[in-house]
Amino acid sequence: MHKGIAIYPGSFDPPTNGHLDLIERGAKIFEELVVAILRNSEKSPMFSVAERSEMLRQLTADLDNVRIDTFDGLMVEYAKSLDATCILRGIRAISDYEYELQMALMNRKLEPTLETVFMMPADKYSYVSSRLVREVAQAGGPVKGLVPEVVEQKLREKLDPAYKLRDARVSDVLGKRDLDKREKKKKRKKKA
Ligand code: PNS
């Protein structure tokens, strides 16, 4: 186990199963892992920082060496303020690599003593991203298996109208099928 503090910074909007998988892996190799949510007023997030913190807190409640925090400004400054020695980031596919490499090298330029450590989440989450989860959920699609249940529930609450619309469409289709069946039955009765 690596002594000292590592931070796992990100937007986590919302936390996915891929994030959780990485947190669990990180918790096994770092003495203390701080999951740090960027407070970025420029972006318009789906979930507030408070909502994201709460979800992550619930999801990591059983991991004693993991805590949730928020930061703004430069991540390396925040890391220094905690005396952290490592930054943990996940790489899912080669497409992540370029951006992550740039960020790691920029952070190294800003603070040479801070090491970035990359870990891979389970391959079953290699296509899962917060952005795609938001996109699917906003269109009323299913996100089961992509995000933890608490997040799924929060998405449902937040996007209630989209889910209602999908449910209405489904019951429309089912209702129409029912109607068709009844019509056919009637016709058969008439013929007999
Ligand atoms: O989950 P994300 O959106 O990929 O996380 C990106 C994050 C928050 C790690 C990155 O944008 C960040 O560290 N922002 C803080 C500002 C900063 O330090 N920028 C310089 C990094 S090269």
Side-chain angles (χ1 to χ4, degrees), residues 34-91:
V34 180
V35 180
I37 306 166
L38 175 66
R39 297 192 300 266
N40 186 354
S41 52
E42 278 172 46
K43 283 190 189 173
S44 48
M46 175 180 269
F47 290 98
S48 70
V49 172
E51 286 173 315
R52 282 177 270 161
S53 299
E54 184 47 37
M55 284 188 270
L56 282 165
R57 244 175 227 121
Q58 283 185 36
L59 295 170
T60 57
D62 58 336
L63 299 170
D64 292 340
N65 60 339
V66 173
R67 65 186 171 91
I68 313 301
D69 196 11
T70 66
F71 76 103
D72 54 18
L74 276 183
M75 197 252 296
V76 293
E77 292 299 331
Y78 167 72
K80 264 199 282 183
S81 76
L82 293 186
D83 274 334
T85 51
C86 287
I87 302 162
L88 172 65
R89 289 287 289 173
I91 289 202

Side-chain angles (χ1 to χ4, degrees), residues 53-163:
S53 299
E54 184 47 37
M55 284 188 270
L56 282 165
R57 244 175 227 121
Q58 283 185 36
L59 295 170
T60 57
D62 58 336
L63 299 170
D64 292 340
N65 60 339
V66 173
R67 65 186 171 91
I68 313 301
D69 196 11
T70 66
F71 76 103
D72 54 18
L74 276 183
M75 197 252 296
V76 293
E77 292 299 331
Y78 167 72
K80 264 199 282 183
S81 76
L82 293 186
D83 274 334
T85 51
C86 287
I87 302 162
L88 172 65
R89 289 287 289 173
I91 289 202
R92 291 161 298 190
I94 205 78
S95 49
D96 283 339
Y97 181 73
E98 216 170 320
Y99 168 64
E100 292 297 334
L101 178 71
Q102 253 186 340
M103 197 155 69
L105 292 179
M106 179 59 82
N107 284 331
R108 181 181 282 167
K109 171 91 183 132
L110 294 168
E111 181 48 62
T113 62
L114 205 57
E115 283 300 336
T116 299
V117 174
F118 293 118
M119 291 183 83
M120 289 82 67
D123 56 335
K124 63 181 168 185
Y125 302 130
S126 61
Y127 63 95
V128 179
S129 71
S130 297
R131 186 179 62 79
L132 285 183
V133 163
R134 286 199 303 271
E135 209 170 297
V136 170
Q138 267 161 345
V143 291
K144 203 173 183 55
L146 308 181
V147 293
E149 263 173 41
V150 283
V151 177
E152 201 186 334
Q153 184 56 38
K154 284 271 171 218
L155 280 164
R156 209 173 258 280
E157 286 164 19
K158 182 133 307 219
L159 299 164
D160 203 26
Y163 279 95

